[in-house]
Amino acid sequence: MKSLLPLLLAAALAGHAAEPYQIAVIPKGTTHEYWKAVQAGAMKAQRELTAAGVPVNVIWKGPLKEDDREQQVQVVENFIGRRVSAIVISPLDANALIAPLATAVQGKIPVVTIDSGLNSPLPSCYVATDNREGGRVAARTLAGLVGPHGRVLMLRNATGSSNTEEREEGFLEAMRKEFPGIRLVSTDQHGGVTRDNAYRTGQNLLNRFGRELDGVFACNQPTTAGMLLALRDAGLAGGKVKFVGFDTGVVELAALKAGDVSALMVQDPFGMGYLGVKNAVAVLRGEPVPKIVDTGVTVVTRENLDQPAVHDLVNPPLDQYLK
Ligand code: BGC
């Protein structure tokens, strides 16, 4: 019996050492396809780290709708109550989430932001698109399609969402500075956080401006999907009105192939999920992490869709990582 003791002790110690890090990953919402890629990326990091002897358990939970501030705050508070090891989050409001995330950091739960920023330096690391630049590139892409005297409108997303607000600002900044001959016929309408809402706003805008319009910019997935429906309804799809959207999904890609969308600004949500978890674990292990990681944005058109890098970006390996 005595001789078993060292073995039992060693097993207990090994068991203790192998206690997985609990990483809470909190999206802005859980309905849009965009988040599937983020989740798959997070699972890839979990798998890789665990295989490398750093056991990690990703817990995925977010509010249903991307404008439900209270619910996202509650999710954060619940994770603090459960004493997770770290929080990886896309704050749906850059201000409303500061207080609960500050509580996490005070409680020694590090925070990494992904996708959308927080108006605070408290996150250890921020993994996202350079959204202002993404907006500028969208402006240049649309300007190239409508010409120097085109008439364009921009459909906004939601107030408080820092990444889409930066895209909107970047778009307007580049349009005003670089293309002074282009007329911005409407830039203040919000499509909101669902496709259906964006569809209704899109219909109203096209009723008003459709006859004198050359181009449209929509700044994220639901606004792109809603505006697409509105353009089709109004008989303005198929390139009659040039349409630059943001993000991809099954519907947006089919529309690009069909010519109803001229170009898509594609982010790397898979990379955000992956690097968000990787950096959170690095913080926990006392390793240095960069304050900002730019995951890039790519202009995707019918012409470059089949290039291997673009093909991989718009077809993240969801099946491999999500059940
Ligand atoms: C944004 C996310 C947003 C998603 C769906 C993306 O463009 O980066 O923050 O949640 O669209 O609305």
Side-chain angles (χ1 to χ4, degrees):
M1 193 59 203
K2 251 185 198 168
S3 62
L4 275 180
L5 198 59
L7 268 182
L8 287 174
L9 267 175
L13 281 175
H16 181 72
E19 197 61 40
Y21 287 124
Q22 303 293 335
I23 311 293
V25 184
I26 309 175
K28 273 187 185 175
T30 40
T31 55
H32 300 310
E33 211 177 328
Y34 177 84
W35 295 110
K36 289 272 165 236
V38 177
Q39 189 180 6
M43 297 315 290
K44 181 184 180 199
Q46 168 182 304
R47 243 188 241 177
E48 267 184 26
L49 286 160
T50 305
V54 184
V56 166
N57 182 36
V58 163
I59 318 165
W60 176 264
K61 190 169 172 50
L64 193 64
K65 282 184 70 198
E66 303 198 359
D67 56 0
D68 196 339
R69 291 167 176 74
E70 263 168 48
Q71 214 196 341
Q72 202 183 36
V73 168
Q74 250 173 42
V75 171
V76 172
E77 286 170 352
N78 285 342
F79 279 129
I80 296 173
R82 282 168 69 176
R83 297 285 325 148
V84 292
S85 318
I87 291 176
V88 176
I89 184 170
S90 172
L92 61 78
D93 184 300
N95 293 317
L97 271 295
I98 295 177
L101 292 173
T103 308
V105 171
Q106 277 150 23
K108 303 261 177 298
I109 299 173
V111 171
V112 169
T113 40
I114 55 169
D115 173 62
S116 199
L118 192 71
N119 285 338
S120 157
L122 72 82
S124 306
C125 171
Y126 175 41
V127 183
T129 303
D130 178 343
N131 284 291
R132 202 172 295 274
E133 184 58 14
R136 292 188 196 110
V137 175
R140 291 173 196 138
T141 306
L142 190 58
L145 292 162
V146 301
H149 302 291
R151 292 150 301 180
V152 312
L153 68 78
M154 175 180 87
L155 181 58
R156 291 177 184 267
N157 172 36
T159 47
S161 153
S162 94
N163 60 352
T164 46
E165 285 181 337
E166 282 166 14
R167 286 173 210 163
E168 293 154 8
E169 282 165 19
F171 179 84
L172 293 178
E173 179 202 301
M175 275 294 180
R176 288 181 180 135
K177 266 200 204 146
E178 298 171 29
F179 310 100
I182 289 185
R183 235 181 76 210
L184 299 166
V185 299
S186 169
T187 61
D188 62 354
Q189 295 301 297
H190 288 87
V193 297
T194 65
R195 184 203 61 182
D196 291 352
N197 205 83
Y199 175 36
R200 279 192 295 277
T201 314
Q203 282 177 316
N204 291 338
L205 282 169
L206 296 180
N207 278 340
R208 243 180 106 191
F209 302 108
R211 255 161 288 135
E212 46 155 335
L213 203 61
D214 301 299
V216 171
F217 170 55
C219 66
N220 72 341
Q221 187 168 37
T223 52
T224 299
M227 182 52 93
L228 173 67
L229 292 178
L231 284 166
R232 283 179 175 155
D233 276 5
L236 297 174
K240 288 195 188 109
V241 166
K242 308 295 182 215
F243 180 26
V244 174
F246 228 97
D247 299 323
T248 50
V250 173
V251 169
E252 293 80 6
L253 276 182
L256 186 74
K257 286 181 191 155
D260 290 344
V261 173
S262 316
L264 290 168
M265 307 292 305
V266 177
Q267 310 184 73
D268 182 7
F270 186 85
M272 292 181 206
Y274 176 74
L275 292 172
V277 171
K278 280 270 184 130
N279 280 301
V281 172
V283 173
L284 291 168
R285 288 162 61 81
E287 294 162 10
V289 294
K291 196 71 182 161
I292 294 182
V293 180
D294 178 358
T295 41
V297 63
T298 305
V299 183
V300 176
T301 61
R302 246 197 313 195
E303 286 66 44
N304 69 4
L305 199 50
D306 292 328
Q307 287 174 11
V310 176
H311 179 270
D312 289 356
L313 186 66
V314 300
N315 295 290
L318 303 186
D319 292 347
Q320 214 175 310
Y321 297 104
L322 303 178
K323 280 179 214 107

